[in-house]
Amino acid sequence: MSVALDNLAGLVAVGAEVREALAAGRAVVALESTIITHGMPYPENLETAQAVEAVVRQGGAVPATIAIMDGVFRVGIEAVDLDRLANRSSGVVKASRRDIASVLARGGTAGTTVATTMIGAHLAGIRIFATGGVGGVHRGAEQTFDISADLSELAKTPVAVVCAGAKSILDIPKTLEVLETHGVPVIGYQTNDFPAFYARVSGYPVDHRVESAADIARIIAIGERLGMRNGLLVANPIPETDALDATLIEERIAQAIRDADAAGVSRKDLTPFLLQRMYELTEGRSLTANIALVRNNAALGAAIAVALAELEATTSHRATA
Ligand code: PSU
Ligand code: MN
């Protein structure tokens, strides 16, 4: 059960459309905003954010893009907010879990990472969230300890995150190991192989394969009935026609990581740096692929949310814990 928002007046604001949909038991899909502020260049970031909301609507669900705007944690933002985030008007930061209270306290504005978006979604009572890629264990983590807070969030916040796997700027086997340690189910949608973001396969298997959105809805509902409390990672491969050549990608990623090392980029700046560098090194092809897979994930997210709403309309087993 989500926290009563009445206790959070002035701190958390759920948009009217989202609130009404949730109250009526209709399908809602959360969307993140670090992808807008730090994941894509302008204007593609704005176009993608708008397109993704439209895809969710076409799928029969209400989109809830989440961000921190002027000291308010907003679940379901307005078009003007989307513009501000996309233009990165002064002082727009990237907020992961540890940043939330500080950014709210100073009245700041931030794109929310997967971890933070999960927290916002859960506060509002949203259980499905679609994004591009999740953060994970960075290559070289045995030296740097750079492991995204997204992974520990998946361990403790009951939101299902639809992604296209993890891109190989990360160490995919270590990322899967950490997810296993934390008890996070990794569900392959129509795939046995954990997808690698720009590529459909990584060479590493998923824990469980499912064929339909309804199957995923059932897994979520059962996890809730058992009071499991953890999140869930749904891995949805990039559409065949949009996938990039794995060898080309591997070379470019190696180059981007060398460039980050040479430039001394680390910590929270690393993922945005690598994404920008991949864009340059692939002459924009990484961005085209990124946009395609986010849309694909939004469509699946909507289908899962709709299936979950239908399931709950016919049964009455929603967790009350
Ligand atoms: N991967 C992408 N695009 C992104 C991100 C990851 O392909 O925009 C963002 C997400 O918001 C993710 C965050 O939650 O980067 C992870 O950052 P870090 O590794 O610093 O935790
Ligand atoms: Mn990190």
Side-chain angles (χ1 to χ4, degrees), residues 134-142 146-147 151 166-179 194 202 204 250 253 257 274:
V134 283
V137 180
H138 278 271
R139 293 193 195 180
E142 58 274 31
D146 190 342
I147 302 175
L151 299 184
K167 66 178 74 50
S168 46
I169 60 176
L170 300 174
D171 185 318
I172 292 179
K174 287 196 181 72
T175 299
L176 291 171
E177 286 296 343
V178 170
L179 287 166
F194 188 67
S202 66
Y204 298 93
E250 204 44 48
I253 284 171
I257 291 173
L274 292 173

Side-chain angles (χ1 to χ4, degrees), residues 32 34-35 39 94 113-114 133 135 138 148 150 167 197 271 275:
E32 65 146 310
T34 292
I35 192 170
K94 164 181 168 183
T113 64
V114 168
H138 278 271
S148 175
D150 292 352
K167 66 178 74 50
F197 201 76
T271 298
L275 290 172

Side-chain angles (χ1 to χ4, degrees), residues 56 75 99 171 298 307:
V56 169
V75 180
D99 307 302
D171 185 318

Side-chain angles (χ1 to χ4, degrees), residues 29-100:
V29 176
L31 301 165
E32 65 146 310
S33 49
T34 292
I35 192 170
I36 306 172
T37 58
H38 291 73
M40 288 184 184
Y42 182 86
E44 287 89 349
N45 58 353
L46 179 59
E47 291 160 9
T48 304
Q50 292 164 338
V52 165
E53 289 197 356
V55 168
V56 169
R57 285 189 196 282
Q58 281 152 21
V62 171
T65 300
I66 296 181
I68 299 177
M69 306 297 307
D70 302 317
V72 180
F73 202 168
R74 292 203 175 272
V75 180
I77 60 173
E78 315 259 312
V80 295
D81 298 326
L82 223 49
D83 275 336
R84 275 181 63 200
L85 293 170
N87 284 296
R88 299 181 189 86
S89 38
S90 58
V92 177
V93 298
K94 164 181 168 183
S96 197
R97 168 182 268 271
R98 55 133 187 223
D99 307 302
I100 298 171

